[in-house]
Amino acid sequence: MNIVVLVKQVPDTAAERTLSEADHTLDREGADLVLDEINERAAEEALVLKATLGAEISVVSMGPDSALDAIRKVLAMGADRGIHICDDRLQGSDAVTTARVLAAAVRTVADVDLVLAGNATTDGQAGVVPAVVADLLGVPQLTHIRELTVDAGRVRAERETENGEVTLDAPLPALVSVTEKINEPRYPSFKGIMAAKKKPVETVDLDDLFPDADDADFLVTRTRVVEAVPRPARAAGIRVTDDGSAGRQLVDYLIAQRLL
Amino acid sequence: MPDVLVLVDHDGEHVHKSTYELLAVARWLGDPAAVVVGSPGTAARLKDPLARHGATCVYSAESAEADEFLVTPAVDALELAVREASPAAVLVSATTDGKEVAGRLAARLDAGLLIDAVDLDSSGEVTQIVFGGSCTVRSQVTHGFPVIAVRPGSVEPEEHPVEAAERELALPPVDPAASARITARRLALAGDRPELTEASVVVSGGRGVAGADGFKVVEELADALGGAVGASRAAVDAGYYPHRFQVGQTGASVSPQLYIALGISGAIQHLAGMQTSKTIVAVNKDPEAPILALADYGVVGDLFAVAPQLAEEVTARRLGS
């Protein structure tokens, strides 16, 4: 089977993130960029399927030159080939454009059975891109999945959200986004890292993906940030050490704050 | 006044509070029109409470299979409603499902998508809080109409009784090759506690609660305060509490009036999901716990001593008053 894994390079969540003053997009210059952790789990799930069912795994990432590092990492884990969507015109893309571009890249892979992604990136957090890619590809979405079974042309999955749990069933081809509960991703071996250097990575731009599109009409975003201001960090307020009466003192505080 | 479409969150019998919040927001922008997607008869059951909260029109998008497929029936229904009403905006709750519906709708209609709004003004300009609460952003739509996912709990619902017109939308049959079928549900037990994302008080437990049994202390305090129970990722991963109660980057984002963190150290991923709470109280044995650095009221102490005392005192004061 053919599996496409969608991955994204993001600023390390452990580091501070800022918006550029010029256009209020994420300032990537100052950030440590890493393969988003959740994508490693999507890749791991693809590799498990490759081991059990046999599969060719393509890794797709959209981003500047540095995104190649994210692709290489997944190749080092054991994926077979990469597609790097690299085009300056995509800077500042909204979720709709991002999904359109990713869907177009998925379509360049022949006979895709399964698209795997993380449920939400740590920089955007909206968690909408996988669902939109499914819509554009016209395949079922099985998103926020903690358990996945692929068998006899069907996919069965356990979805877990704030509304509870559901079991989903759909025919292939399908799109699955995974949560951090799905598995523990493997570390690339030294052998894997060396092998990844020889694996093919195709670089494509918008003209490759949308040969018929009129460049002037290509919308990168349908929204605009009017203003971005850092929020004052929350400062510590009252601090007490429990002397046996902290619970009672707290009630007085809550009443004073009109919270009771 | 143009229509503003609101996707109704419901359980078949009751409208969720987050929908009343959306109806209140919708009135700032135009005439609220509620879109009910569900099995036959649902819209009729929900019409009165929707009208009481300002819905001037209730669209009913009903079919026997509407509840059996994930997300796509709601996207189809809203797409139909948009074509019928040419709305000024579409509002959904920024839940996991709601955000996915919003994204798919925006892509189909080439509309502008604004996710996780905590406020918006009459021109449709939206306020969002990004990067785990470290930055406030105001955004507007520059192409197409706005599809806005509003974070539950961000605005107060209001009663605003109106007469609601009824309209039917002919929901197309679901294409099983393009939609995932829901074959089993294990719904969150409603119980007597408010929904996590809707509660004005949330009491959350972390690894410091030290076990599933320890969560009784969290639950008892939540019940004394009439609040919801939450859990950190560490507590969920350790199996102390179910995932649907997880607060943080990979769980629910909450913004209650009062957030009480018991035995939660305050990993950045957790802070991302609760930092917009109006008042934060933290109880932790470790004086170095990061959450104490941003708590409005921090207690260095044993949660098993502090929380029961607080619960007891709250109950006593309530009975006394």
Side-chain angles (χ1 to χ4, degrees):
Chain A
M1 60 194 277
N2 288 312
I3 302 177
V4 175
V5 183
L6 306 178
V7 306
K8 186 179 185 186
Q9 196 183 39
V10 297
D12 194 341
T13 43
E16 193 176 338
R17 291 164 288 180
T18 54
L19 296 177
S20 77
E21 300 218 343
D23 59 356
H24 304 304
T25 58
L26 187 67
D27 183 0
R28 286 169 191 274
E29 296 287 313
D32 277 341
L33 298 172
V34 295
L35 171 62
D36 204 349
E37 183 202 340
I38 192 68
N39 298 150
E40 293 176 31
R41 296 175 195 265
E44 176 65 34
E45 209 56 21
L47 292 165
V48 169
L49 291 170
K50 180 179 177 172
T52 52
L53 301 173
E56 157 114 347
I57 303 174
S58 304
V59 188
V60 171
S61 190
M62 168 177 141
D65 291 343
S66 60
L68 194 55
D69 296 343
I71 293 174
R72 290 277 178 218
K73 182 161 187 189
V74 182
L75 295 177
M77 289 173 74
D80 300 295
R81 56 188 287 265
I83 299 174
H84 179 194
I85 309 156
C86 187
D87 194 318
D88 289 344
R89 288 171 287 180
L90 289 169
Q91 156 91 357
S93 292
D94 64 11
V96 169
T97 295
T98 301
R100 280 191 182 156
V101 170
L102 290 172
V106 171
R107 285 196 198 97
T108 66
V109 180
D111 303 324
V112 173
D113 299 291
L114 193 62
V115 180
L116 274 162
N119 63 338
T121 56
T122 47
D123 56 347
Q125 277 189 47
V128 303
V129 167
V132 180
V133 171
D135 202 283
L136 296 169
L137 293 174
V139 302
Q141 70 162 81
L142 300 91
T143 46
H144 304 275
I145 296 306
R146 64 164 171 77
E147 199 181 315
L148 177 67
T149 318
V150 178
D151 181 31
R154 296 196 78 81
V155 52
R156 191 170 167 278
E158 301 294 327
R159 168 183 171 99
E160 202 170 58
T161 70
E162 74 273 27
N163 293 327
E165 294 176 33
V166 296
T167 304
L168 299 174
D169 175 81
L172 297 177
L175 177 140
V176 173
S177 83
V178 302
T179 71
E180 61 203 9
K181 278 202 171 172
I182 190 90
N183 57 39
E184 281 303 321
R186 69 195 65 188
Y187 288 104
S189 64
F190 180 70
K191 205 174 130 195
I193 293 166
M194 296 312 288
K197 293 181 178 170
K198 300 199 185 87
K199 290 178 177 173
V201 178
E202 187 187 351
T203 303
V204 298
D205 63 15
L206 284 175
D207 300 322
D208 298 320
L209 294 177
F210 303 98
D212 302 327
D214 178 353
D215 194 39
D217 286 343
F218 189 83
L219 270 177
V220 171
T221 180
R222 292 149 195 82
T223 62
R224 182 170 76 93
V225 173
V226 182
E227 184 186 55
V229 288
R231 285 163 65 81
R234 285 189 87 113
I238 300 161
R239 164 85 72 108
V240 301
T241 300
D242 185 23
D243 60 359
S245 68
R248 284 192 291 276
Q249 290 175 43
L250 193 42
V251 171
D252 292 331
Y253 171 80
L254 296 178
I255 289 168
Q257 298 294 313
R258 298 172 181 275
L259 290 164
L260 278 184
Chain B
M1 288 277 266
D3 281 348
V4 176
L5 294 178
V6 166
L7 178 64
V8 176
D9 265 343
H10 63 84
D11 62 7
E13 298 294 328
H14 304 284
V15 177
H16 290 172
K17 182 180 159 214
S18 55
T19 298
Y20 298 141
E21 295 166 12
L22 296 181
L23 289 169
V25 173
R27 284 200 289 119
W28 308 342
L29 304 175
D31 288 329
V35 180
V36 176
V37 187
S39 53
T42 310
R45 279 196 294 279
L46 306 184
K47 185 187 160 196
D48 286 349
L50 290 169
R52 200 159 59 242
H53 288 82
T56 56
C57 177
V58 174
Y59 285 98
S60 106
E62 298 181 336
S63 78
E65 55 182 9
D67 293 334
E68 292 173 25
F69 288 89
L70 185 69
V71 173
T72 43
V75 184
D76 291 343
L78 283 180
E79 189 181 0
L80 283 172
V82 166
R83 296 195 193 287
E84 186 137 334
S86 304
V90 176
L91 304 180
V92 302
S93 297
T95 58
T96 303
D97 289 31
K99 291 191 284 192
E100 293 187 331
V101 170
R104 293 180 68 153
L105 182 74
R108 286 187 191 181
L109 301 169
D110 204 21
L113 176 66
L114 293 166
I115 293 281
D116 237 356
V118 294
D119 196 8
L120 81 166
D121 66 18
S122 57
S123 71
E125 204 169 278
V126 154
T127 303
Q128 295 153 301
I129 295 169
V130 302
F131 299 153
S134 64
C135 196
T136 301
V137 161
R138 287 195 302 124
S139 306
Q140 62 183 199
V141 164
T142 51
H143 178 87
F145 62 91
V147 178
I148 302 171
V150 181
R151 186 183 287 190
S154 302
V155 295
E156 283 297 311
E158 285 167 30
E159 294 217 356
H160 183 82
V162 292
E163 284 290 320
E166 283 175 69
R167 297 257 176 86
E168 273 188 37
L169 295 171
L171 207 55
V174 177
D175 174 4
S179 302
R181 185 184 288 275
I182 298 168
T183 57
R185 285 175 200 271
R186 289 167 299 286
L187 283 181
L189 292 175
D192 291 335
R193 291 190 193 111
E195 290 283 331
L196 184 54
T197 53
E198 298 183 352
S200 54
V201 177
V202 174
V203 183
S204 286
R207 209 197 296 274
V209 174
D213 285 350
F215 256 85
K216 285 205 184 73
V217 170
V218 182
E219 291 175 336
E220 280 163 14
L221 180 54
D223 290 343
L225 292 163
V229 174
S232 71
R233 176 179 163 184
V236 170
D237 283 354
Y240 300 170
Y241 224 63
H243 175 271
R244 64 177 179 271
F245 297 101
Q246 185 172 319
V247 171
Q249 196 155 50
T250 47
S253 284
V254 298
S255 193
Q257 295 296 313
L258 173 62
Y259 189 86
I260 301 184
L262 301 175
I264 292 176
S265 67
I268 192 164
Q269 287 80 1
H270 185 77
L271 302 182
M274 47 65 77
Q275 215 172 152
T276 53
S277 303
K278 310 295 180 293
T279 297
I280 297 173
V281 171
V283 180
N284 205 296
K285 272 199 276 201
D286 176 9
E288 304 298 321
I291 201 159
L292 290 172
L294 55 78
D296 298 287
Y297 195 104
V299 178
V300 179
D302 182 358
L303 72 95
F304 291 103
V306 178
Q309 188 180 61
L310 175 58
E312 197 178 306
E313 198 73 7
V314 167
T315 308
R317 302 267 183 129
R318 287 236 160 113
L319 291 174
S321 63

